Amino acid sequence: MKNIKLTLLACLLLPIITFAQGMRQMEPKKNIPLDSIRLSDPFIMADSKTNMYYMTGTGGLLWKSKDMKLWDGPYRVTQTDPNSWMGPRPMIWAAELHEYKGKYYYFATFTNRDVKIDTVKGNVIERRACHILVSDKPDGPYVPMQDPTYLPANKPTLDATFWIENGKPYMLYCYEWLQNWNGTVEKIALKPDLGGSIGEGKVLFRASDSPWSREKDENGKDRPNKVTDGPYVFQTKTGKLGIIWTSWVYNVYTQGVAYSASGKLDGPWVQEKNPITPPDFGHGMLFTDLNGKQLMCIHSHKSVNGKYIRIPHLFEVDLSGDKLVVGKEYKP
């Protein structure tokens, strides 16, 4: 029971703590080393048009860099509608930036803490959903598009990411474990301009499919952890389709990987037996830097004096074979 409580508490409080940290850091600064930035769920877009790197994550803020060694920021880049379901001051988690057909898109999780949609096993669930904003520039401002919602209002979703299959755009996301008690990774089709969703979501895999994540049930017995977090889709040079995603091994934040047996989003998805990154690292993403080097951006996770600290890190990766191979930590 102790490990269950630790896991639940960590998942509930980490985004709130990090968001609050982000809200305090509103005065942009210059030349900040990467390891001096406190940021959950970091995402780096290498933009060849501006020859710059743009980093975002939880908190709704943006950092810029020419070399990934030193960063300027943070900058606030979102302009949400206060009259929308998000409310006047939504919490923003796990933001991603994607260039698509000449525009830039901001995939993120928005939470309106004033609206409660459900209570499950004593947990009050707030209105939380994935949404997409758009801009003509990588550093924003990012504003809403036409459709007011992308996913059902009574379903808490988070950690949206982007993938194109056979020329059709999709959003992948997690259906949060707080409601279904067995988190999922799902996909939903998007309109050609990403301005809304098409149809309903489809489950790709569930938290319980994981052979490596662990927690204790109410009787103290081992079982797969219920959390799905931070999915990111990638393809190796041989055409193998994979998803990295994060959960817990008891109270250790951990990232694993699954591969599609069909090479398509519909799977079936086969989970690798072992995690792919060191303990206490998670919510990773993959990108190619402006010099052609393949990297993983991920955050470390540790508790310092009772507070959770998350710091962005870079790791070298090899995608030349059938599977993702994570190498040593990379220092720009």
Side-chain angles (χ1 to χ4, degrees), residues 23-251:
M23 289 298 291
R24 289 196 299 267
Q25 299 175 5
M26 283 306 300
E27 185 65 32
K29 298 180 181 179
K30 299 288 186 179
N31 299 323
I32 308 170
L34 184 63
D35 60 6
S36 295
I37 295 173
R38 301 296 180 261
L39 179 66
S40 298
D41 316 325
F43 185 99
I44 293 177
M45 179 180 68
D47 185 59
S48 59
K49 294 180 181 179
T50 57
N51 201 38
M52 291 280 290
Y53 297 96
Y54 300 88
M55 182 171 65
T56 185
T58 286
L61 304 173
L62 181 80
W63 285 257
K64 308 175 190 179
S65 176
K66 293 182 178 180
D67 57 10
M68 292 192 292
K69 295 179 183 179
L70 300 173
W71 296 80
D72 297 345
Y75 304 94
R76 184 162 298 283
V77 295
T78 59
Q79 294 181 1
T80 56
D81 180 1
N83 297 314
S84 71
W85 66 266
M86 299 177 190
R89 286 177 62 90
M91 296 177 67
I92 303 176
W93 300 351
E96 296 190 1
L97 301 177
H98 296 275
E99 191 274 334
Y100 181 65
K101 294 185 176 181
K103 290 183 178 293
Y104 296 88
Y105 294 88
Y106 188 95
F107 286 64
T109 306
F110 297 86
T111 300
N112 185 340
R113 305 200 68 195
D114 293 329
V115 178
K116 318 300 181 184
I117 63 170
D118 203 354
T119 301
V120 178
K121 297 188 178 184
N123 292 313
V124 176
I125 302 172
E126 298 161 346
R127 177 75 165 94
R128 174 161 46 253
C130 301
H131 204 84
I132 304 172
L133 308 180
V134 65
S135 177
D136 291 324
K137 301 186 298 181
D139 53 356
Y142 287 88
V143 298
M145 289 185 279
Q146 182 176 352
D147 283 18
T149 61
Y150 284 77
L151 295 165
N154 61 350
K155 180 178 179 178
T157 55
L158 70 165
D159 294 354
T161 191
F162 185 45
W163 189 249
I164 301 168
E165 185 170 280
N166 296 327
K168 296 181 179 179
Y170 292 88
M171 180 167 68
L172 279 78
Y173 57 92
C174 296
Y175 175 21
E176 194 172 20
W177 62 272
L178 282 172
Q179 188 174 57
N180 60 21
W181 224 242
N182 186 11
T184 64
V185 171
E186 305 184 6
K187 72 164 189 176
I188 193 167
L190 296 173
K191 294 179 178 179
D193 67 350
L194 312 191
S197 58
I198 302 171
E200 298 180 352
K202 177 183 178 180
V203 174
L204 303 184
F205 58 83
R206 303 177 188 278
S208 57
D209 295 337
S210 167
W212 51 265
S213 71
R214 309 308 298 165
E215 67 179 11
K216 298 289 187 180
D217 67 13
E218 290 79 0
N219 298 315
K221 294 183 179 180
D222 268 13
R223 67 179 181 190
N225 199 284
K226 63 181 73 65
V227 175
T228 50
D229 180 80
Y232 186 85
V233 192
F234 66 94
Q235 193 169 37
T236 70
K237 288 186 178 179
T238 64
K240 193 82 168 181
L241 190 68
I243 294 178
I244 53 176
W245 66 285
T246 301
S247 189
W248 298 79
V249 179
Y250 306 113
N251 63 340

Side-chain angles (χ1 to χ4, degrees), residues 241-313:
L241 190 68
I243 294 178
I244 53 176
W245 66 285
T246 301
S247 189
W248 298 79
V249 179
Y250 306 113
N251 63 340
V252 178
Y253 198 59
T254 306
Q255 181 172 264
V257 62
Y259 293 98
S260 170
S262 68
K264 304 294 183 182
L265 283 178
D266 284 338
W269 287 90
V270 181
Q271 303 289 333
E272 290 286 279
K273 181 179 179 180
N274 297 312
I276 60 169
T277 49
D280 292 315
F281 283 84
H283 205 113
M285 57 81 60
L286 306 175
F287 71 103
T288 302
D289 75 7
L290 295 173
N291 298 312
K293 190 175 186 64
Q294 294 176 325
L295 297 169
M296 173 184 287
C297 182
I298 194 169
H299 69 243
S300 59
H301 165 86
K302 64 179 179 179
S303 177
V304 178
N305 297 324
K307 294 184 178 181
Y308 288 106
I309 304 297
R310 289 184 165 187
I311 300 172
H313 294 259

